[in-house]
C-alpha cells in the first residue's frame, strides 16, 4: 500500500512496450525455420528420388529397342529381353488374387468390429488385427513359401481351384449384377451419382467376366505341370500378400463405417429394420466412398508388396511369360528386387540397370494414380458428414 | 394426475412376481406421497382407449438409475407432452416406449410398460416388431443418404412391402405436408432438403410404416419458428390417426400442442449419490400449466427452476 512505484499499466504506453521482447520474436522465428527445414528436407529427398527415377528411366526409354519390351517370351533383363507384359500380368494376378482374399475378409472384419462386436470384443480384436498389420512381410513370405504353397495351393489342386475360383467370381458377378439391376430400374432424371455408379458397376461387371475367363483359361493351361513340386507360385505369394493387406483394408473400411452418424442407424432401427438390413441398406451405402477407398489403397499396397512375392512367387532373376497363377512368375516389384540383389548385382547387357528404374517408374505412376483416386473417395466421405 | 390410485396399486402388488418384491415395495414407498399429493379425480382410461400403461418404470444405465417412478396411462389419439429440465430422463423414458434403449448395451428397464395390454419387455417380444408399430422421429433431422422417394419407402420396404410403394410415398409425404414441395424431385437426394423439410421428411418416413404410435424426441429443437409451426400444425392434423408422445424443451410448445403433459424433474438419489430423473406430475395440459398440484411443477413452469 505504501509502495508508490508506478504499476506497469499506469506507465506511458508506447508501441515498443506492446511489441514485446525481441528475444521472443527471434526464438519464434528460429522454431519456425527449424520445422520448415524439416519439411523442406523431406520434400527435397522425395523430389531427388523421383528425379533419379525419372532420369535413369528416361535413359532406358530413349535407348531401348522397343520391340524387346512387348511380345517377347519373358523378362530376361540380363539378356536384354525386357518383356513388360510378363511383369505387368504377374503383378495383376497377384493383386487380383490378393484382393479376393483381403477385400471380403477385410470388409467383413470391419463390419463385424464396427456394427456387431461389443465394446469388450472390439477392445480385444482390434489390437490383434493391428498386430497382424505389424507382421514383417519377410515372415509372411516364408509362411507363403513353406505353408500356403504346399499345404493350400498344391493340396487343393487344379480342379479344386477351378471350382473355388469360378464360385468366387460368379458370386461377385451376381452381387454386382444385382446392384446394377437395381440402379438400372431407376426412372429418368436420376441424379449424377447414380449414373456414376452405373458406369462403375458396368466396369466391375466387365472386369469380373474377364477375370472369370482368365481364371478358367489359366488353370486349364497349367493342367499338366501342376503336380510338379515347385518352389512356390504366384497364387501362394498372392494369398500371402492378401493376408498382409487384410488389416489395412479392415482399418480404413472401419474408419469409414464408424464415421456414419449413429443417428442414421437409430433412424433405421426406429423404422423397424433389423441390424443386417440397417448395415447393408443404410450404413454400407453411406460409407461407400470410404470402402472403395479402402479397396483402392489395398490394391495399391498389394501392387507394391515386394518381399512376399520375391520369396514365394516361384521365380528369381527372370521369368517366362505366364497368365496362370499356378506358375512361378515375377511381379514388377520382385523383378526389381532380384535385379538389385545377388552376387553379380546388376550386370548384363547395357540397359539392364536402367530397366530397373523404368519398372520402378511404372510402378510409382500406378500407385500414385491409385492413391490419388482413393484420396478423392475419402474426401467425399468427409464432405458428406 | 392420472396416476395409479391406491386400489390399482394394491392390485399391482398382487400381480408382481416374488423376486421383484423387495424393489417393488421400495419404489412404491417413494411414489406414494407423489401420488397422494396430486390425485385428482380423473376418468380412468381402459380397454381400447388405453395405449400405454406404465407403472413404476425405471431405466438404468449400468448401475446408474437414470429415471425412476414413472407412472403414466396414455390414451389413444391424444398428444402427450413430456417436459422437464435437462437430464430429467424424459428422452430416456420416451425411448423405452419402442425399445430404442436396447441399442445402448448397458441400458436396462425395470417396472411395467404395457402396450395395449402386452408387456413390451417380455422376453419373447422382438424389438423390431415393436418399432414397426411404434414409430419415432428424432431430435436431429436424419435423412438417409438416399433419394427422397427411397427415404420414405425405406420403412415399408424393410417390412417386406414391394407393391403400391408409390401410393404410400405420396400419401405419407402429403400427410407430412411436404408433397407439394418435393413432388417434382422425388429422385433427388434427401440431403439437399432444408432442415425443416428434412424433419418433415423424417415424419413422412415414420408415417409410411403406418405405426399406431409416434414418438417424437424434441422434433423441433433444430428448426426455426416457421418450420416449428408447420410441424405443430401437422401434429394437430395427424392426431386423429395416431397417438403421439412428444418430448420438448419448449414449454410453450407443450402447452400449445398437447392434451396431457408429464413434468419430469431431477433429484439427488440418496442410494448412489447421483442425480436421477423422476416423473413429478402428469395431468391435463391446461391444468398443469394453470394450476399444478406439485410445487416443483409450479416452480419450473413459472421459471423459478430449470
Amino acid at each position: 500500500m505504501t509502495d508508490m512505484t508506478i504499476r506497469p499499466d499506469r506507465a506511458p504506453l508506447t508501441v515498443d512496450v506492446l511489441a514485446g521482447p525481441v528475444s521472443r520474436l527471434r526464438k519464434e522465428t528460429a522454431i519456425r525455420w527449424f520445422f520448415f527445414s524439416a519439411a523442406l528436407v523431406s520434400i527435397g529427398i522425395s523430389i531427388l528420388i523421383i528425379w533419379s527415377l525419372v532420369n535413369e528411366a528416361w535413359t532406358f526409354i530413349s535407348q531401348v529397342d522397343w520391340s524387346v519390351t512387348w511380345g517377347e517370351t519373358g523378362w530376361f533383363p540380363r539378356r536384354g529381353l525386357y518383356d513388360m507384359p510378363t511383369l505387368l500380368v504377374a503383378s495383376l494376378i497377384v493383386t487380383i488374387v490378393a484382393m479376393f482374399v483381403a477385400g471380403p475378409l477385410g470388409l467383413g472384419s470391419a463390419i463385424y468390429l464396427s456394427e456387431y462386436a461389443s465394446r469388450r470384443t472390439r477392445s480385444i480384436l482390434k489390437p490383434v488385427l493391428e498386430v497382424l498389420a505389424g507382421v514383417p512381410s519377410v515372415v509372411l513370405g516364408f509362411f507363403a513359401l513353406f505353408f500356403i504353397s504346399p499345404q493350400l495351393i498344391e493340396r487343393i489342386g487344379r480342379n479344386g481351384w477351378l471350382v473355388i475360383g469360378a464360385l468366387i467370381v460368379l458370386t461377385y458377378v451376381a452381387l454386382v449384377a444385382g446392384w446394377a439391376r437395381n440402379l438400372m430400374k431407376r426412372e429418368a432424371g436420376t441424379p449424377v451419382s447414380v449414373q456414376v455408379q452405373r458406369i462403375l458397376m458396368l466396369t466391375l461387371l466387365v472386369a469380373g467376366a474377364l477375370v472369370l475367363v482368365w481364371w478358367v483359361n489359366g488353370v486349364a493351361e497349367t493342367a499338366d505341370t501342376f503336380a510338379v513340386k515347385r518352389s512356390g507360385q504366384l497364387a501362394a505369394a498372392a494369398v500371402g500378400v492378401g493376408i498382409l493387406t487384410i488389416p489395412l483394408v479392415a482399418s480404413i473400411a472401419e474408419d469409414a463405417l464408424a464415421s456414419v452418424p449413429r443417428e442414421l442407424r437409430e433412424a433405421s432401427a426406429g423404422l423397424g429394420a433389423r441390424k443386417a438390413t440397417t448395415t447393408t441398406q443404410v450404413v454400407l451405402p453411406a460409407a461407400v466412398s470410404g470402402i472403395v477407398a479402402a479397396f483402392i489403397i489395398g490394391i495399391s499396397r498389394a501392387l507394391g508388396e515386394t518381399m512376399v512375392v520375391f520369396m514365394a512367387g516361384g521365380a528369381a532373376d527372370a521369368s517366362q511369360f505366364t497368365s496362370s497363377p499356378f506358375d512361378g512368375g515375377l511381379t514388377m516389384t520382385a523383378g526389381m528386387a532380384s535385379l538389385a540383389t545377388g552376387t553379380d548385382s546388376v550386370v548384363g547387357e547395357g540397359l539392364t540397370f536402367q530397366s530397373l528404374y523404368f519398372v520402378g517408374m511404372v510402378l510409382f505412376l500406378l500407385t500414385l494414380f491409385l492413391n490419388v483416386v482413393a484420396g478423392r473417395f475419402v474426401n467425399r466421405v468427409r464432405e458428406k458428414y | 394426475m392420472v396416476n395409479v390410485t391406491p386400489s390399482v396399486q394394491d392390485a399391482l402388488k398382487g400381480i408382481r412376481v416374488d423376486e421383484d418384491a423387495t424393489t417393488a415395495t421400495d419404489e412404491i414407498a417413494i411414489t406414494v406421497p407423489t401420488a397422494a399429493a396430486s390425485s385428482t379425480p380423473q376418468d380412468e382410461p381402459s380397454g381400447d382407449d388405453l395405449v400405454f400403461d406404465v407403472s413404476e418404470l425405471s431405466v438404468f444405465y449400468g448401475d446408474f438409475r437414470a429415471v425412476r417412478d414413472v407412472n403414466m396411462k396414455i390414451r389413444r389419439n391424444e398428444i402427450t407432452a413430456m417436459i422437464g429440465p435437462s437430464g430429467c430422463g424424459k428422452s430416456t423414458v420416451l425411448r423405452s416406449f419402442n425399445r430404442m434403449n436396447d441399442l445402448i448395451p448397458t441400458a436396462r428397464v425395470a417396472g411395467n410398460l404395457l402396450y395395449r395390454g402386452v408387456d413390451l419387455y417380455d422376453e419373447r417380444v422382438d424389438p423390431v416388431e415393436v418399432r414397426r408399430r411404434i414409430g419415432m422421429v428424432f431430435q436431429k433431422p436424419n435423412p438417409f443418404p438416399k433419394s427422397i422417394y427411397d427415404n420414405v419407402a425405406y420403412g415399408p420396404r424393410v417390412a417386406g412391402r414391394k407393391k403400391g410403394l408409390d401410393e404410400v410415398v405420396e400419401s405419407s409425404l402429403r400427410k407430412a405436408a411436404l408433397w407439394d414441395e418435393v413432388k417434382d424431385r422425388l429422385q433427388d437426394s434427401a440431403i439437399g432438403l432444408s432442415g425443416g423439410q428434412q424433419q418433415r421428411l423424417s415424419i413422412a418416413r415414420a408415417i409410411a410404416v403406418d405405426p399406431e404410435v409416434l414418438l417424437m424426441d424434441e422434433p423441433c429443437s433444430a428448426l426455426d419458428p416457421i418450420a416449428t409451426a408447420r410441424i405443430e400444425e401437422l401434429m394437430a392434423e395427424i392426431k386423429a390417426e395416431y397417438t403421439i408422445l412428444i418430448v420438448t424443451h419448449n414449454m410453450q410448445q407443450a402447452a400449445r400442442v398437447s392434451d396431457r403433459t408429464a413434468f419430469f424433474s431431477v433429484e439427488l438419489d440418496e442410494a448412489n449419490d447421483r442425480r436421477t430423473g423422476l416423473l413429478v406430475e402428469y395431468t391435463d395440459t391446461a391444468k398443469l400449466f394453470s394450476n399444478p398440484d406439485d410445487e416443483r411443477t409450479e416452480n419450473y413452469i413459472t421459471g423459478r427452476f430449470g
Side-chain angles (χ1 to χ4, degrees), chain A residues 109-328:
Chain A
S109 325
I111 291 175
Y112 177 75
L113 282 176
S114 141
E115 306 299 311
Y116 287 90
S118 69
R119 206 174 292 176
R120 245 196 80 201
T121 322
R122 212 180 117 91
S123 71
I124 298 168
L125 285 184
K126 254 206 120 172
V128 172
L129 208 64
E130 276 152 19
V131 167
L132 185 58
V135 173
S137 55
V138 67
V139 173
L140 238 124
F142 212 71
F143 178 73
L145 186 58
F146 290 107
F147 181 80
I148 298 175
S149 177
Q151 298 299 326
L152 185 75
I153 307 294
E154 288 177 23
R155 186 158 289 190
I156 287 175
R158 174 190 163 248
N159 290 333
W161 282 112
L162 194 63
V163 173
I164 292 171
L167 280 180
I168 292 174
V169 176
L170 280 176
T171 314
Y172 164 86
V173 169
L175 281 176
V176 176
W179 193 2
R181 198 174 137 254
N182 258 342
L183 282 175
M184 296 300 168
K185 274 198 307 199
R186 297 282 179 78
E187 290 158 36
T190 48
V192 183
S193 72
V194 172
Q195 285 166 15
V196 173
Q197 282 185 58
R198 281 179 182 171
I199 295 166
L200 190 71
M201 289 300 100
L202 270 179
T203 322
L204 288 178
L205 257 179
V206 172
L210 285 177
V211 170
L212 186 63
V213 170
W214 156 73
W215 186 274
V216 174
N217 193 30
V219 174
E221 253 177 35
T222 43
D224 44 336
T225 54
F226 200 82
V228 181
K229 202 82 183 159
R230 56 182 74 244
S231 55
Q233 64 284 92
L234 287 174
V239 172
V241 173
I243 294 171
L244 267 186
T245 315
I246 291 172
L248 185 70
V249 173
S251 92
I252 300 173
E254 205 224 326
D255 283 348
L257 294 174
S259 75
V260 175
R262 192 174 51 92
E263 286 84 11
L264 285 187
R265 295 182 180 87
E266 286 195 338
S268 175
L271 290 167
R274 288 177 195 286
K275 186 143 214 169
T277 318
T278 302
T279 304
T280 54
Q281 304 291 310
V282 174
V283 181
L284 284 182
V288 73
S289 1
I291 290 166
V292 171
F295 286 160
I296 297 176
I297 292 171
I299 289 172
S300 161
R301 168 86 173 79
L303 202 59
E305 172 51 41
T306 308
M307 210 50 191
V308 177
V309 281
F310 186 41
M311 291 172 75
D317 290 347
S319 167
Q320 295 276 345
F321 175 83
T322 177
S323 63
S324 161
F326 300 107
D327 282 333

Side-chain angles (χ1 to χ4, degrees), chain B residues 206-223:
Chain B
I207 290 173
V209 289
D210 198 20
E212 293 151 32
V213 181
L214 263 187
L215 307 176
M216 304 176 107
D217 189 359
E218 298 187 37
C220 302
S221 66
L223 304 182

Side-chain angles (χ1 to χ4, degrees), chain B residues 2 43-53 72-80 114-118 133-134 210-214 238-245 258-260 282:
Chain B
V2 189
D43 46 341
E44 285 290 317
S46 61
D48 263 5
D49 252 5
L50 178 61
V51 179
F52 285 107
D53 188 352
M72 293 170 92
K73 285 179 192 297
I74 290 160
R75 292 151 200 257
R76 180 173 301 280
N77 298 351
E78 280 197 349
I79 298 180
T80 304
L114 300 184
Y115 169 61
R116 290 168 56 197
V118 178
R133 288 172 174 79
I134 305 171
D210 198 20
E212 293 151 32
V213 181
L214 263 187
I238 60 177
K239 182 181 144 182
E241 289 172 68
Y242 306 95
T243 305
I244 299 175
L245 278 82
S258 72
D259 299 299
R260 271 160 220 279
Y282 170 51

